[in-house]
Amino acid sequence: MKKLYQGKTKDVYELNDKEVLLKFKDDVTGKDGVFDPGQNQVGLTMEGAGHSACLLTKFFYEKLNAKGLNTHFVSADPDKNEAVVRKAKVFGNGVEVIVRYRAVGSFIRRYGQYAESGMKLPAYVEITLKDDDRNDPLITKDALEILGIMTGAEYDELVGLAKNIGEFVKEELAKKDLELYDIKFEFGMVDGKVALIDEISGGNMRAYKGDEYVEPLKLEKILLEDVK
């Protein structure tokens, strides 16, 4: 298979003119050996992280597809740490979408003068450009339109979909007495419609049980304890 892209946490291979294969790796984002889903660099390697990411991606995407929410997911084989997805056209060179329910991470680093760490947020959505050289800058709806990255209608559809998917993930975690603090998504155009792409895993969200942060591999075990 032809490798199309080598990413931080997964590699992408071409299957045919409509589908690609995602191969999950054990690398996770962070800094100085500390996991942080808000970072744009590989911070550490966690054995089993790729398998965990594939399992959770399969778990969430199958449920999202069943609910009629638009995604690129086709199937997954956790034994191989692989998923088959439909090809998507990304916005510009790619955008990341963060849905925040608590003020943590980069939100506090930017707005700590006005916010207390851990304060509740009303499903606040941020969009950043995928641009390592510029540390994934935040971008507004107006700028996205001006730069031709996406239309206003696409932006509104994306934000609405991000909130709906974020709320679904939040509810699934709540069933296990877990609280979702924030989650990072990626979106693209699939068959002419805005769709969720990439993965949903412990590596792109922050979850807490009470005041205790739940690490990605532990999160997968908690969420899937009744599934396996």
Side-chain angles (χ1 to χ4, degrees), residues 23-223:
K23 183 72 174 180
F24 293 83
K25 301 188 286 189
D26 284 344
D27 296 332
V28 297
T29 56
K31 186 176 182 181
D32 300 327
V34 178
F35 166 74
D36 183 349
Q39 289 291 332
N40 63 2
Q41 62 186 354
V42 172
L44 64 158
T45 297
M46 299 172 62
E47 185 177 354
H51 183 64
S52 174
C54 189
L55 280 171
L56 278 185
T57 292
K58 181 177 186 292
F59 173 78
F60 281 116
Y61 268 97
E62 287 180 345
K63 289 177 178 291
L64 291 172
N65 284 353
K67 289 175 68 67
L69 294 170
N70 204 25
T71 83
H72 71 157
F73 181 81
V74 177
S75 63
D77 184 349
D79 290 336
K80 296 181 179 179
N81 295 349
E82 295 175 350
V84 176
V85 300
R86 290 182 290 165
K87 287 184 177 179
K89 183 180 184 297
V90 299
F91 296 103
N93 293 320
V95 298
E96 293 183 337
V97 181
I98 304 96
V99 184
R100 299 185 181 277
Y101 303 98
R102 294 272 190 173
V104 292
S106 60
F107 186 93
I108 283 294
R109 290 195 291 272
R110 287 193 302 268
Y111 310 126
Q113 183 178 356
Y114 303 95
E116 294 182 2
S117 181
M119 68 178 282
K120 290 186 177 182
L121 301 172
Y124 175 66
V125 177
E126 293 180 335
I127 297 181
T128 68
L129 299 179
K130 293 189 74 173
D131 186 341
D132 290 350
D133 292 339
R134 295 169 179 81
N135 199 30
D136 292 356
L138 280 171
I139 189 166
T140 64
K141 177 182 180 180
D142 287 346
L144 287 164
E145 287 190 87
I146 290 168
L147 298 173
I149 296 172
M150 70 178 68
T151 67
E154 289 168 345
Y155 175 91
D156 292 338
E157 186 177 355
L158 182 155
V159 169
L161 188 56
K163 287 184 176 182
N164 286 338
I165 294 172
E167 185 61 30
F168 171 76
V169 175
K170 190 170 183 284
E171 290 173 355
E172 287 296 311
L173 267 63
K175 293 176 182 178
K176 300 291 187 177
D177 296 322
L178 300 169
E179 182 179 356
L180 181 63
Y181 273 36
D182 60 23
I183 185 166
K184 180 170 63 178
F185 296 125
E186 292 191 32
F187 290 87
M189 297 296 290
V190 177
D191 297 332
K193 296 181 180 179
V194 177
L196 181 69
I197 64 174
D198 201 56
E199 67 184 67
I200 299 180
S201 68
N204 58 15
M205 69 177 82
R206 288 188 183 89
Y208 281 72
K209 191 175 185 66
D211 295 328
E212 180 186 355
Y213 166 70
V214 182
E215 294 184 352
L217 299 185
K218 184 177 180 181
L219 180 63
E220 176 254 313
K221 291 178 181 178
I222 294 173
L223 286 172

